[in-house]
Amino acid sequence: MMRFLEIFSNGDSQSLRISQKEIPKPNDDDVLIKVEYVGVNRIDILQKKGLYNSEKEDNDVLGVEVSGTIVNMGSKAYLYNPTLKEGMKVCALLSGGGYAEYVTANSSLCFKIEENFLTMEEAACMPEALFTIWKNLIMIGDMSLGSSILIHGGSSGIGTMAIKVANLFNAKPIIVTAGNDKKCSACIGIGADYAINYKKEDFVKKVMEMTNGEGVDIVLDMVGGEYLRKNISCLKYKGKIINIAFLDGAKSEIVIPEIMKKEAIITGSYLKSSPIDEKCSIACDLRSKLWPFINKGLLKPVIDSVYDFEKVEQAHERMENSMHIGKIVLSF
Ligand SMILES: NC(=O)c1ccc[n+]([C@@H]2O[C@H](COP(=O)([O-])OP(=O)(O)OC[C@H]3O[C@@H](n4cnc5c(N)ncnc54)[C@H](OP(=O)(O)O)[C@@H]3O)[C@@H](O)[C@H]2O)c1
């Protein structure tokens, strides 16, 4: 048996409590990981509250990324990822189940950790952000040398890693928005060229000033709502708006001729429901293109705080109140 965090409904509110269940068994292409740390993501909170439409095959235990040790391997796991073996320290992208002492992971979505360059705490924060950024900024956004980019939620888990990856790709300028001056300074500290406190300044006006009236090639947005219309105003001719969330509203009113004038591309994606083949292909790209930087200590996440898993509700509260800068982690 193992301990895990179970979603517990108490009338109108949902919380998590420690419970016991069988240790999962790996399928042929899976490994079983003894979890050390799990990265906390907004989707965990949405799923806990029943606000995320999870797929039927999803795990009802929260947690989409972990670090830990491989303790068992399915009969074909080695074929799908020959770098793995029992006893190895890894991090993994999951479709759920990480808020537990043990979890199974598809072997193709596991990454060997060189602890000289990445601690196990840091490793637990990598998969969700790196997969999301690779899919959206590189595959969809075609970010490359000299791409100008606006990242909303610059101080978030995704935002802080996006700043770092955009720097590795020599995107310029990297402009971010964040909700207070402390968050803005932190974003500059990790490599943003400009940070706009959206509560004090009009971000459209600032972006146009910072780009000499041209606008940016790519906008990465997690806010939605009325930001969509504003994002179009920030866009360069033939630029792309990539939506990954809609924290401020799923609906937006836009003016169609403004899209036409700029030949703007408005797109977006969900990582969680992407086909497994695509996730495996992203994993290959990450292994060959980004892991060399990680294994030289040149790419690390920003860690905000680490909580014991028993204090999970405090960790979630910190995220819900947007107190954090970077990633929140639970230790098991
Ligand atoms: N589509 C995908 O595949 C995918 C994958 C991963 C994550 N996501 C989504 O991307 C977002 C970022 O993920 P994360 O784990 O990095 O979360 P996070 O750290 O909690 O980031 C959310 C950020 O949004 C900012 N924000 C702006 N307006 C907001 C509003 N109205 N309500 C709440 N926050 C607001 C918050 O800071 P300030 O407002 O203070 O600046 C905060 O930094 C989440 O919504 C997540 O669900 C999507």
Side-chain angles (χ1 to χ4, degrees):
M1 298 293 279
M2 67 168 188
R3 289 176 303 164
F4 78 108
L5 292 166
E6 179 182 37
I7 301 172
F8 169 66
S9 183
N10 187 4
D12 282 347
S13 66
Q14 284 79 28
S15 56
L16 293 165
R17 65 179 175 195
I18 299 170
S19 193
Q20 299 256 336
K21 68 190 293 192
E22 293 279 334
I23 295 174
K25 289 197 173 43
N27 290 327
D28 285 353
D29 49 357
D30 290 343
V31 298
L32 179 67
I33 297 173
K34 175 147 191 358
V35 175
E36 283 183 47
Y37 295 95
V38 53
V40 174
N41 288 280
R42 279 264 165 182
I43 196 171
D44 306 343
I45 297 170
L46 297 176
Q47 199 176 331
K48 179 178 79 175
K49 292 181 166 177
L51 299 174
Y52 178 79
N53 293 333
S54 55
E55 308 288 318
K56 270 210 178 67
E57 67 270 21
D58 274 0
N59 200 314
D60 58 5
V61 179
L62 307 181
V64 293
E65 56 182 352
V66 293
S67 65
T69 305
I70 296 180
V71 291
N72 195 358
M73 292 179 70
S75 59
K76 293 189 183 139
Y78 173 79
L79 293 176
Y80 289 102
N81 187 345
T83 62
L84 302 182
K85 59 180 184 195
E86 277 182 33
M88 184 178 274
K89 301 272 191 185
V90 291
C91 64
L93 181 78
L94 313 168
S95 56
Y99 282 29
E101 281 182 296
Y102 292 87
V103 68
T104 57
N106 185 303
S107 58
S108 300
L109 307 182
C110 294
F111 301 83
K112 181 183 173 197
I113 300 307
E114 303 286 352
E115 283 187 89
N116 294 345
F117 298 108
L118 200 65
T119 65
M120 292 304 277
E121 286 169 9
E122 290 168 338
C125 302
M126 300 301 259
E128 179 74 4
L130 289 184
F131 275 79
T132 303
I133 289 160
W134 195 266
K135 178 168 172 119
N136 290 287
L137 291 187
I138 310 301
M139 292 169 69
I140 298 176
D142 290 322
M143 182 175 71
S144 58
L145 174 78
S147 299
S148 47
I149 178 163
L150 169 64
I151 302 167
H152 290 299
S155 64
S156 65
I158 299 286
T160 47
M161 186 58 87
I163 295 170
K164 292 191 170 207
V165 174
N167 261 293
L168 288 179
F169 276 76
N170 291 310
K172 199 106 194 139
I174 301 167
I175 306 173
V176 304
T177 64
N180 63 41
D181 290 343
K182 188 174 164 210
K183 289 182 174 185
C184 286
S185 304
C187 292
I188 298 287
I190 58 174
D193 296 302
Y194 306 105
I196 305 163
N197 179 341
Y198 68 84
K199 290 190 177 152
K200 283 189 183 163
E201 295 186 288
D202 173 353
F203 75 79
V204 177
K205 192 163 161 252
K206 293 304 285 181
V207 167
M208 295 317 273
E209 274 171 28
M210 288 160 184
T211 57
N212 300 319
E214 273 200 331
V216 290
D217 293 302
I218 304 169
V219 179
L220 182 70
D221 188 28
M222 56 186 73
V223 181
E226 66 161 29
Y227 269 38
L228 182 55
R229 187 176 47 78
K230 294 183 179 180
N231 288 339
I232 296 170
S233 303
C234 290
L235 215 54
K236 204 189 244 184
Y237 179 62
K238 288 185 189 282
K240 287 184 184 167
I241 296 169
I242 306 170
N243 295 285
I244 58 165
F246 37 87
L247 290 163
D248 215 21
K251 291 191 179 165
S252 186
E253 197 167 282
I254 51 177
V255 180
I256 292 169
E258 288 178 8
I259 303 175
M260 294 161 69
K261 260 190 290 186
K262 291 197 172 174
E263 296 189 22
I265 295 172
I266 301 174
T267 179
S269 71
Y270 275 116
L271 174 67
K272 204 162 186 243
S273 53
S274 306
I276 182 68
D277 288 357
E278 189 180 304
K279 289 182 187 167
C280 293
S281 148
I282 297 173
C284 279
D285 282 350
L286 294 178
R287 234 170 251 121
S288 62
K289 309 263 173 48
L290 286 189
W291 236 263
F293 291 101
I294 293 169
N295 284 343
K296 286 187 191 131
L298 298 174
L299 182 61
K300 285 168 176 285
V302 173
I303 299 214
D304 173 81
S305 45
V306 183
Y307 289 82
D308 189 274
F309 80 100
E310 290 172 5
K311 302 215 166 113
V312 61
E313 289 299 342
Q314 284 176 34
H316 280 194
E317 211 175 292
R318 185 166 174 81
M319 179 169 274
E320 279 192 278
N321 294 331
S322 285
M323 306 287 285
H324 61 299
I325 295 176
K327 293 285 298 192
I328 300 175
V329 193
L330 299 177
S331 71
F332 261 85

